[in-house]
Amino acid sequence: STITTVSSGINAEYGGEPGLDYGGVAREWFYSLSKEMFNPYYGLWEYSAIDNYTIQINPNSGMCNPEHLRYFEFSGRICAMAVYHGKLIDGFFIRPFYKMILGKQIVLEDMAEVDIETYNSLQWVMDNDPEDLFLTFCAQESRFGEVIETPLVAGGENIEVTNFNKVGYVNAYIQWKFVNRIEEQIKAFKKGFAYIIPLSKLAVFDENELEYLICGIAQIDVEDWCKYTEFKGGYSATHHVIVWFWKAIRSFDNEFKARLLQFVTGTSRVPMNGFRELQGSNGPQKFCIEKWGSPNDLPRAHTCFNRIDLPPYKDYHT
């Protein structure tokens, strides 16, 4: 059965890098695989209009890869496997993507997080009489340098947008923008996800919780990190080296904090409920700092145990 297939655990081994996998290598494998899987370079995904790190499904993915639906199904399986095994993936999806997985309706406010210019235009239509704009029930998009016009409803090119039908126009535009253009791709993704975890099991989550479940928390809370850290080898929360350690982390930007977290745990993301839910080789495993080595050594990490071996440095700047 599907559950039997995935419940036996995952052991990952990198070519030419033999080692024991107690969970850390698998975490890094999910992270590395998903980073490539969701790379917009391959044409299956694209950056949203609002930034260059939030991604969405590319409506023209079929023109980039004839096998695109198989890849989307595979992506769905990998995401579900990560959830099942308590791992996180490296993917910053737009919020409507999670709502589509849950089968929830997408509304105008969702547009603001994806395409602020289109949101402002549609909001203006909602707040004013649009008749002077001479709009019709059509949407335009640029496809490989060519402007394509698509009717939002049957015969939409002949239906003018008025003050009486503008709500229908906005709703139809949102449906086209987020659903109609990628209907096959999202269906394939959900099929792959459901192969591992039935979609009905996600009904208890909203879109924010689902994002945290799949991708973890993007913004790293240092105070929460401190709270759920344990110490070994003679270190304690008040030891001067530990005080310097947290001082250094607080001085980092979020990207550098994430890189340090990945170095120690195998993933740059924090679980849905914070650092208290970090997973190790045998279940929950707090972040750990152990005293090790000499002041001339560099720190080393054990991703299977969420542990960093930190030498007893003599001063903060070291």
Side-chain angles (χ1 to χ4, degrees), residues 179-281:
V179 181
N180 295 351
R181 297 191 303 161
I182 60 167
E183 190 170 5
E184 289 186 339
Q185 293 95 318
I186 194 67
K187 182 179 179 180
F189 184 94
K190 292 170 70 173
K191 178 183 177 182
F193 196 100
Y195 182 82
I196 306 297
I197 301 177
L199 295 177
S200 59
K201 300 294 185 182
L202 302 179
V204 296
F205 302 107
D206 63 20
E207 60 273 15
N208 298 311
E209 293 168 333
L210 183 60
E211 178 182 16
Y212 296 152
L213 187 65
I214 295 177
C215 299
I217 299 172
Q219 197 66 30
I220 296 176
D221 184 346
V222 177
E223 301 311 314
D224 185 59
W225 195 346
C226 293
K227 182 178 179 181
Y228 293 102
T229 294
E230 59 185 17
F231 309 96
K232 292 183 178 180
Y235 280 154
S236 67
T238 57
H239 193 284
H240 63 273
V241 172
I242 300 303
V243 173
W244 292 337
F245 177 81
W246 294 122
K247 179 181 178 181
I249 288 181
R250 288 188 176 92
S251 70
F252 297 160
D253 59 24
N254 201 65
E255 180 182 355
F256 209 87
K257 292 173 188 173
R259 289 184 179 184
L260 174 62
L261 186 62
Q262 185 188 10
F263 171 70
V264 180
T265 69
T267 176
S268 64
R269 310 287 291 206
V270 182
M272 181 172 70
N273 291 318
F275 280 88
R276 66 179 179 177
E277 288 194 353
L278 277 182
Q279 296 293 309
S281 57

Side-chain angles (χ1 to χ4, degrees), residues 11-316:
N11 289 311
E13 179 178 324
Y14 286 86
E17 299 181 26
L20 296 175
D21 182 11
Y22 293 105
V25 181
R27 277 200 301 275
E28 187 174 351
W29 179 77
F30 274 110
Y31 177 85
S32 300
L33 176 60
S34 58
K35 187 174 184 179
E36 285 299 302
M37 227 168 35
F38 302 121
N39 187 343
Y41 174 82
Y42 299 113
L44 300 179
W45 303 80
E46 63 181 8
Y47 291 118
S48 69
I50 205 168
D51 55 46
N52 63 350
Y53 61 87
T54 307
I55 60 173
Q56 60 191 12
I57 293 175
N58 179 6
N60 302 312
S61 59
M63 302 181 72
C64 301
N65 186 338
E67 299 291 325
H68 67 133
L69 296 182
R70 293 181 61 190
Y71 280 88
F72 280 111
E73 183 176 344
F74 173 77
S75 300
R77 288 195 185 192
I78 294 298
C79 286
M81 287 178 65
V83 170
Y84 187 91
H85 290 284
K87 312 301 182 185
L88 300 173
I89 66 164
D90 181 30
F92 296 84
F93 304 108
I94 60 172
R95 191 61 49 82
F97 177 73
Y98 299 103
K99 297 185 78 170
M100 284 185 280
I101 294 176
L102 296 171
K104 299 179 67 174
Q105 183 178 0
I106 299 173
V107 296
L108 178 58
E109 286 69 25
D110 294 317
M111 181 75 76
E113 298 185 21
V114 179
D115 187 340
I116 191 64
E117 291 186 5
T118 301
Y119 167 78
N120 288 334
S121 297
L122 294 178
Q123 189 62 60
W124 189 94
V125 170
M126 292 293 292
D127 296 337
N128 299 274
D129 188 339
E131 292 192 24
D132 291 341
L133 298 178
F134 302 104
L135 296 173
T136 61
F137 272 66
C138 288
Q140 292 185 342
E141 63 176 330
S142 178
R143 186 181 302 169
F144 301 105
E146 181 182 0
V147 177
I148 305 297
E149 185 172 88
T150 304
L152 300 176
V153 297
E157 65 275 14
N158 299 316
I159 303 176
E160 294 185 359
V161 180
T162 68
N163 208 35
F164 299 101
N165 64 13
K166 63 184 182 182
V167 173
Y169 165 76
V170 169
N171 290 337
Y173 191 96
I174 293 172
Q175 178 73 14
W176 168 81
K177 178 78 171 179
F178 291 115
V179 181
N180 295 351
R181 297 191 303 161
I182 60 167
E183 190 170 5
E184 289 186 339
Q185 293 95 318
I186 194 67
K187 182 179 179 180
F189 184 94
K190 292 170 70 173
K191 178 183 177 182
F193 196 100
Y195 182 82
I196 306 297
I197 301 177
L199 295 177
S200 59
K201 300 294 185 182
L202 302 179
V204 296
F205 302 107
D206 63 20
E207 60 273 15
N208 298 311
E209 293 168 333
L210 183 60
E211 178 182 16
Y212 296 152
L213 187 65
I214 295 177
C215 299
I217 299 172
Q219 197 66 30
I220 296 176
D221 184 346
V222 177
E223 301 311 314
D224 185 59
W225 195 346
C226 293
K227 182 178 179 181
Y228 293 102
T229 294
E230 59 185 17
F231 309 96
K232 292 183 178 180
Y235 280 154
S236 67
T238 57
H239 193 284
H240 63 273
V241 172
I242 300 303
V243 173
W244 292 337
F245 177 81
W246 294 122
K247 179 181 178 181
I249 288 181
R250 288 188 176 92
S251 70
F252 297 160
D253 59 24
N254 201 65
E255 180 182 355
F256 209 87
K257 292 173 188 173
R259 289 184 179 184
L260 174 62
L261 186 62
Q262 185 188 10
F263 171 70
V264 180
T265 69
T267 176
S268 64
R269 310 287 291 206
V270 182
M272 181 172 70
N273 291 318
F275 280 88
R276 66 179 179 177
E277 288 194 353
L278 277 182
Q279 296 293 309
S281 57
N282 295 309
Q285 175 68 63
K286 289 183 179 180
F287 188 90
C288 179
I289 306 175
E290 182 167 1
K291 187 177 182 180
W292 166 85
S294 70
N296 296 322
D297 292 320
L298 293 173
R300 65 182 186 182
H302 305 271
T303 58
C304 296
F305 307 106
N306 298 333
R307 189 177 82 228
I308 181 171
D309 292 342
L310 190 64
Y313 296 119
K314 300 298 184 181
D315 59 77
Y316 171 74

